[in-house]
Amino acid sequence: MNRVLYLEFERCIGCRACQAACRECGGHDAKERNYVEYIDFMESRQTFPMMCMHCKDPACARVCPANAIQITKDGVVLSAMEEKCIGCRNCTFGCPFGIPKFDFEKNIMYKCDMCYERTSQDISPMCASVCPSEAIRFIGFEEMMELRRKRAQSNLLQGKKPTEQNKWNFVPETFGVYTE
Amino acid sequence: MATETKNLHRKGESFIPTHCSYCGMQCGMNIRVDDATGNVVGIEPRYEWPVNQGRLCPKGVTAYQQVEHPDRILRPLIKRNGKFIEASWEEAYDLIERKFKEIATKYGKDALGVYGGVSMTNEKCYLVGKYARVALGTKHIDYNGRYCMSSAAGGFNATLGMDRGSTLPWPDLLHSDCFFLAGSNTAECHPTSITWFWRGRDRGAKLIVADPRETPTARIADVHLDLKPGTDSALANGIAHILIKEGYVDNEYVAQRVNGFEDLEKMVERFTPEYTSRLTGVAQEKIIKAAHMYGEAEKSVVMFARGVEQQRKGVDNVGSYTNLALIRGQIGKFASGVATFTGQGNGQGGREHGQKADLLPGYRKLTEPKAVQYISQVWGIDPAEMPGPGVSAYEMLDSIHQGTVRAMHVICSNPAVSSPNAQHVWKALEKLEFLVVNDFFLSETAEFADVVLPTTTWAEDEGTTTNTEGRVIKINQIRKPAGESKPDWQILSEIAARMDRGKHFEYENAEQIFNELRVASKGGKADYYGITYEKIEKQQGVFWPCPDLDHPGTPYVYQDSFPTPDGKANLRVVDWQEAGEIQSKEFPEILTTGRVVFHYLSGNQTRRIDFLMEKCPEPYAEMHPEMASKYNLQDGEEVELETRRAKMKLKVRLTKAIRKDTVFVPYHWGKELSINQLTNPCLDPVSRMPEFKVCAVRLRKS
């Protein structure tokens, strides 16, 4: 996979098209696997998309006693394998982002698989392809590096804007997963 | 600009490109069809469509779910002893014919009313007008766009001489330097437009938003003008005052292309920042800053939506904001001008071809003998038979109480939810001697009906719509009509035949109707004559006016002159007026209504879709914590809202992102959850638009 999922929280308008689209992806069983949250509805309508980070060393996979959470060669952390998942819900407690969810009817964990059916063929995942504000983008590494060096255009919730001197407080130096 | 181009092709499925069924953005999308069954199974982004480049909102993503929905009405329904019984088309038509003829004979033809809608193709909208005037012979026809676009239409007609919702194509927004959004919560109501603004912001363009709430759109604005509902024209006059005072006027443009500048200058003299601030409740610094931002921009766009239009002075508000673009010399140029966000899918096209009470196809006036003559000839009727102008939507519903209208045919609309002073409207619908409703779901209005005729969804018929830019586009047929449902044009033609006017309605497909519409609109202001289905496919939509077959269409209107008698635009010089209802001791707060991103208009479609209902199951009263503490209300508690018309109970939602004197309630629900029970039916004198956006309300903890 030569592209990454790039999130720009300030652009999010809270429309949840990403969630509606997530349900539409093949094999997602009409369940959304990404989440959109208000930061503090009392203060502002700012929302942010909470997506799976597809960690390099994912806590969910690490705490799975049945090895049901597979990681593909290009770094995508998949949803639980039906054959292996024992329904212990360790992963749902292990993930610091609250991404894995548990389906009590089917007794299985489900989570974002970055629309692997699509991304494995270099097709944008559903959430990124529909996002009307471009808060979620599926872009090449070069474009990502260029974007994150830019000044954010929008006020963050506290009314602070990153400047050239402190933008590193806003943008981590490395994040997510990228493999050559 | 769209970086994405690839779609996922699945085995045993194919795509059909079409457009969304909902708002005026008319986003392009691909609908997935199962090859074996022909059923609609999902969506795929359509990247090559220039307006949205594959992006969709949650309504668009789930729109296809209407088609195979279990709530679909698949056979005609006739009410017997208060219950709907399935019937055959023949039975339904027999009853309609008998009743319509009975009522027309007894009370005259004008006792029949037709209430159309603009969530339909141009072909259908055109036919609704023809059906009312030729098949039923009634003057009582109007449509739900009266509650949506009529003020924009009135304002543009008066100021610019023509009503086309936008003076520029949307992709141009990428190059604008300043966006002034008034009364538009773009992020929630037209989400796929937001990209253009955000990308503009990336270039350093400025964003100004005038809205009583700090919506997701206003949150990111450079200046958020949090004005008191109902004070829009005061704000616009205040900004015009600063533009004139500080030398931001494009004198050359004004001298050559605009009338009434001296009058405007005199009138806005009073609207100093201090006075404007007092009227609107917006801080002076913000007004000044916004005026400077707008004035300094080389290419700027003023855009507005229902927030400024759904008021007693909606036409004046539209005119006042358009003034800003005119004195800055912005209209008729690349990447600048004015635009209104069309609410309904075909809000633009649906108002051009004869659904309005006083208009004939091509935006011709019923009061002009020449227009009547021409259209009568196209329709093959005697000009003397052409009924005169009727009354507006709310007035027509109101006239049921006086016994003027006694039977009604509602076509793809839900006035029981969308009309102001709803309880009054419900009584009217009950009082009707006979009501026919065309719809594919049993709407709140259909529940009042004597006969419900099952129509097709947008995916089961083809036709054209005109999007918010004025671009005429093609809706493609995805599958055959479900059950026994029929497209509206076929239903209307068949009823016309029953009314002995069949020879005027002999159509085999939508394209034939479109070709007749082309001829009917020829020479009118909204000229579609040069637009054909092939041309739409070839050019990715055609902008009207397009007067002949070799004409490429008109993306930029008013480049050289305005379609007014002297070729100049007329500034709308109007002093500010209070809203129809202002706060008083008895009703101390302001109630405003609007939309949420998950629902569309009366909610008849979106309230049946699981995802959208999960995200927003019921209406709520959004208010500032300071207002809530006055009434001792906590978040999530129930509050009783009461206006001079009715009262209702709602859950409270607290946020500081709203004015302290304003309560906001979304309007997408019917019956006891309908906020329109409370709204004020006070009408704009020109557009006859009710004042949905402002009324006085009192709160009580329930």
Side-chain angles (χ1 to χ4, degrees), chain A residues 40-107:
Chain A
D40 181 354
F41 187 76
M42 180 63 100
E43 292 298 329
S44 148
R45 285 172 219 275
Q46 183 163 351
T47 47
F48 65 96
M50 191 66 242
M51 320 292 285
C52 176
M53 303 287 161
H54 294 278
C55 309
K56 257 200 167 109
D57 184 10
C60 60
R62 210 199 258 217
V63 299
C64 177
N67 200 12
I69 303 173
Q70 302 287 306
I71 304 165
T72 67
K73 62 183 186 313
D74 31 25
V76 173
V77 183
L78 296 175
S79 198
M81 291 168 71
E82 247 173 272
E83 308 83 336
K84 289 188 171 180
C85 178
I86 56 169
C88 70
R89 295 194 281 145
N90 263 4
C91 51
T92 63
F93 308 125
C95 172
F97 305 106
I99 296 293
K101 293 278 182 278
F102 196 70
D103 181 341
F104 285 90
E105 277 173 23
K106 293 188 171 167
N107 200 37

Side-chain angles (χ1 to χ4, degrees), chain A residues 3 10-12 15 23-24 32 41-43 45-46 118 121 124 129-132 134 153, chain B residues 4 6 44 47 55-56 58 64-65 195 198-199 201-202 214 220 614-615 622 653 655-657:
Chain A
R3 289 198 280 172
E10 308 83 12
R11 289 177 105 92
C12 180
C15 74
R23 290 187 181 197
E24 299 302 319
E32 63 239 32
F41 187 76
M42 180 63 100
E43 292 298 329
R45 285 172 219 275
Q46 183 163 351
R118 304 170 79 86
Q121 303 176 49
S124 172
S129 61
V130 302
C131 177
E134 293 183 318
Q153 286 294 337
Chain B
E4 198 56 48
K6 281 161 73 178
E44 262 293 322
Y47 297 111
R55 292 179 289 270
L56 292 167
Y64 79 92
Q65 295 175 14
T195 314
W198 273 203
R199 285 183 182 178
R201 300 288 316 278
D202 292 346
E214 196 191 65
I220 283 183
E614 275 170 40
K615 294 292 173 242
E622 190 174 281
R653 232 173 115 171
T655 176
K656 290 178 189 165

